[in-house]
Amino acid sequence: MPSATQSGAERTPGKLFVVSAPSGTGKTTVVEALLPLVSGLAMSCSYTSRPPRPGEQDGVDYHFVSRERFEQMRDGTEFLEWATVFGQLYGTGATETRRRLDEGLDLVLVIDVQGAGQVRRLDGTAVGIFVLPPSPAVLEERLRRRSATHLTEAQLRQRLSVARREVEQMPDYDYAIINETLEDCVEELRCIVVAERASRRTRAGAGEAVARAFREWEG
Ligand code: 5GP
């Protein structure tokens, strides 16, 4: 049973699932498709200094803030992690993340490899998931489709070269998923969340409560 539905004293803090992938792999689409399938799971809303793209909403896709405001927040240690990605600043709000975890909600952070490293150092129980495109050629094709809307050729080449470096970080993650089809990718991700929730380490509190009841049982 998801931790968010546990009551009072039994409630354990939520778990962090960190999802990273090269730009264009489709990680946000995958996570958005996952959320309605798993109760007690939410996606974190990051802060960024980059301007919104057409259709993006403040407070939904990102908290869009000025670079000055971001730097103030960063200097005030308001971020759990932060990084510069493609010249823009991105970060995960610390207070909001802790509040939601304390409520027992599990959270997915869709963040880059630098931020994932920071989260790993802060929270040894965070689960790292790396999503890979099936091949460099497929990634290039997906980025080219996107370049028609918001990427210049130079930005596209930069994303491909960053992707090559990011893929080298895969061994630091617990799981690797290859995004061949959206459906299979979402299913693998769902299975990872379900399995991690059932791991003995995650269930320590609830499992110990049942074991204690057995010890005290007069039957
Ligand atoms: P985009 O601007 O295309 O939405 O995102 C660009 C990159 O920033 C992606 O790799 C995305 O995962 C990463 N990103 C988004 N939010 C955060 C965050 O809060 N922290 C970090 N470290 N990276 C983020």
Side-chain angles (χ1 to χ4, degrees), residues 66-117:
S66 65
R67 183 169 279 263
E68 293 68 34
R69 175 74 190 122
F70 191 105
E71 286 169 349
Q72 268 173 8
M73 291 180 72
R74 179 197 61 196
D75 297 345
T77 58
E78 290 182 41
F79 292 122
L80 188 74
E81 62 73 35
W82 71 275
T84 303
V85 188
F86 306 122
Q88 297 289 354
L89 301 167
Y90 294 85
T92 305
T95 309
E96 188 183 337
T97 304
R98 291 207 184 95
R99 179 181 55 74
R100 297 174 92 189
L101 291 175
D102 286 347
E103 286 168 1
L105 205 59
D106 291 335
L107 277 185
V108 185
L109 309 184
V110 182
I111 61 179
D112 88 313
V113 294
Q114 308 166 76

Side-chain angles (χ1 to χ4, degrees), residues 6 20 76 81 89 94 101 110 160 172 202 211 216:
Q6 290 171 7
S20 301
E81 62 73 35
L89 301 167
L101 291 175
V110 182
L160 287 170
D172 293 336
T202 309
E216 291 161 2

Side-chain angles (χ1 to χ4, degrees), residues 111-125:
I111 61 179
D112 88 313
V113 294
Q114 308 166 76
Q118 295 170 45
V119 173
R120 215 172 11 253
R121 284 187 286 279
L122 275 175
D123 177 358
T125 71

Side-chain angles (χ1 to χ4, degrees), residues 23 27-28 46-58 60-68 70 83-91 110 146 150-151 155 159:
S23 171
K27 56 190 177 294
T28 309
S46 295
Y47 289 78
T48 183
S49 67
R50 85 153 163 75
R53 295 181 187 133
E56 284 185 331
Q57 287 178 49
D58 187 35
V60 177
D61 298 284
Y62 283 102
H63 298 293
F64 294 100
V65 294
S66 65
R67 183 169 279 263
E68 293 68 34
F70 191 105
T84 303
V85 188
F86 306 122
Q88 297 289 354
L89 301 167
Y90 294 85
V110 182
R146 201 196 267 188
H150 68 263
L151 288 181
Q155 286 171 329
R159 285 186 185 220

